[in-house]
Amino acid sequence: MRFKVNFPVEIFFGEGEADHIGEIAKKYGKTAFAVIDPFLKGSAVEERVERKLTEAGVEAVPFYEVVPNPTVELIDKGAEMVRNGNYDMVIAIGGGSSIDTGKAIALLATNEGSCWEYTERLGANVVRPKVKGLPLISVPTTAGTGSEATPYAVINNPAIHQKCTIVSPMVFPVASIVDPELMMTMPPALTALTGVDAFSHAFESYINVNAHPFSEMVALESIKRFAGNIVEAVKNGSDIKARREMALACTFGGMAIAHAGTTVPHALGQPLSGLTNAPHGGTIAACLPEVVEWTLPVAAEKFAVVAEILDPSLKTESVNQKASRLPLILENLFKEIGADVTFGGYGLKEDEIEGFADTVYTSFQLDLKGHPKVATREDIIYLIRQCM
Ligand SMILES: NC(=O)c1ccc[n+]([C@@H]2O[C@H](COP(=O)([O-])OP(=O)(O)OC[C@H]3O[C@@H](n4cnc5c(N)ncnc54)[C@H](O)[C@@H]3O)[C@@H](O)[C@H]2O)c1
Ligand SMILES: [Fe+2]
């Protein structure tokens, strides 16, 4: 067995940790380009962060132009502002879309061209970053993407209905501040869909053919925390323990995909957002039970482990019995938290299925190859139909 662990991010975890942003940022200079999720504009959190930065002698220039499924246009616009300014670092505060916007801007600050040229696209001429970007400090406000702990930045190109990812160790933040208090304002639907994303990262990396003891360890820790806390976090958003545990589930899920990658659910989900602008976590919730059902009996041992974590009453059943229960366990859980969504509900049309399957099959081979069961183009079409 051979594997490598590379995790070059300082993670500061805990309630109130965002108050230390000044001390952390001042190590990197005096001027920050601050990508701030628009939901924070004018909020007490924004005011507090700004004050802590000022007290530490760091001037932050805010940039609020972030949209869910962040676009090439807005990222390139932010990058141009940084190139024309005099910035020492980028700070990104918000959901995964804000963090990915910050990651791409930080990279483009020192590398020329458009962010789209750096995304992985099969058969296309992908530009690899030549030098490190500006240091990036990420401060997540959702518990889903794990972007605070990954070398990925996912970018949407609405002009061609595609969503692709920059994959490079140079995309890792230098530091991430994970403060569960910042996640308390998430409404139930957002908590549910982002929570499913966190779970799916852990799950997909756990069953991934590239899994190894380190990625499996963090993935299982993530899954345990998701299992014990997602319902409470959705139903009682002011429960700080549930928020804390979901924040850990998210960061551990990010660490897990940083080391072992995602599989078929992300191969289906990411291009669906490119096509329909559906929220990322929703695209995953819409296909995860179906993908598990289709994968069985392959990976039964690992499915059994996950099924028992989600439903400890299965303890005495056989491996195959436990594994076969997983699709329904997920379906019921997603119903309970209001994440029972479908591809059709997100706007995918019957006559778009073939073209959508081609995109999945050609552009997401890396994810498909990580899945424990080989997916043919026909399998992809079958799965998409199941998710409608
Ligand atoms: N880089 C990675 O490793 C990685 C991994 C998975 C997904 N992603 C990408 O991240 C993006 C999704 O990020 P996301 O799921 O965090 O959602 P998001 O960042 O798109 O945010 C969704 C909405 O929630 C709002 N919001 C954020 N935090 C809030 C809070 N605390 N309270 C109230 N509202 C809040 C935002 O303003 C936005 O309107 C997608 O583009 C997805 O592809 C990236
Ligand atoms: Fe994801």
Side-chain angles (χ1 to χ4, degrees), residues 37 39 95-97 100 141-142 145 147 150 152 163 182 185 190 280:
D37 196 312
F39 95 92
S97 297
D100 284 1
T141 61
T142 58
T145 70
S147 185
T150 70
Y152 313 128
K163 201 175 173 206
L182 304 187
T185 49
L190 184 62
H280 174 66

Side-chain angles (χ1 to χ4, degrees), residues 5 22 57 112 212 232 250 260 372:
V5 174
E112 59 189 19
H212 54 67
E232 184 62 18
C250 168

Side-chain angles (χ1 to χ4, degrees), residues 37-40 66-70 94-100 103 140-156 163-166 171 181-187 190 193-195 197 201 243 254 257 262 266 269-270 273 278-281:
D37 196 312
F39 95 92
L40 286 168
V66 179
V67 289
N69 298 321
S97 297
S98 300
I99 295 177
D100 284 1
K103 281 175 158 176
T141 61
T142 58
T145 70
S147 185
E148 68 275 11
T150 70
Y152 313 128
V154 190
I155 297 169
N156 194 21
K163 201 175 173 206
C164 293
T165 306
I166 306 178
V171 168
E181 281 178 1
L182 304 187
M183 298 161 190
M184 308 280 281
T185 49
M186 272 196 289
L190 184 62
L193 295 187
T194 51
D197 188 30
H201 294 157
R243 292 294 192 189
I257 52 169
T262 46
H266 272 74
Q270 192 170 310
S273 288
H280 174 66

Side-chain angles (χ1 to χ4, degrees), residues 8-12 24 27-28 135-139 148 172-177:
V9 189
E10 274 193 302
I11 302 252
F12 300 85
I24 295 163
K27 288 193 274 184
Y28 299 100
L136 171 83
I137 299 173
S138 87
V139 188
E148 68 275 11
F172 271 120
V174 289
S176 290
I177 306 173

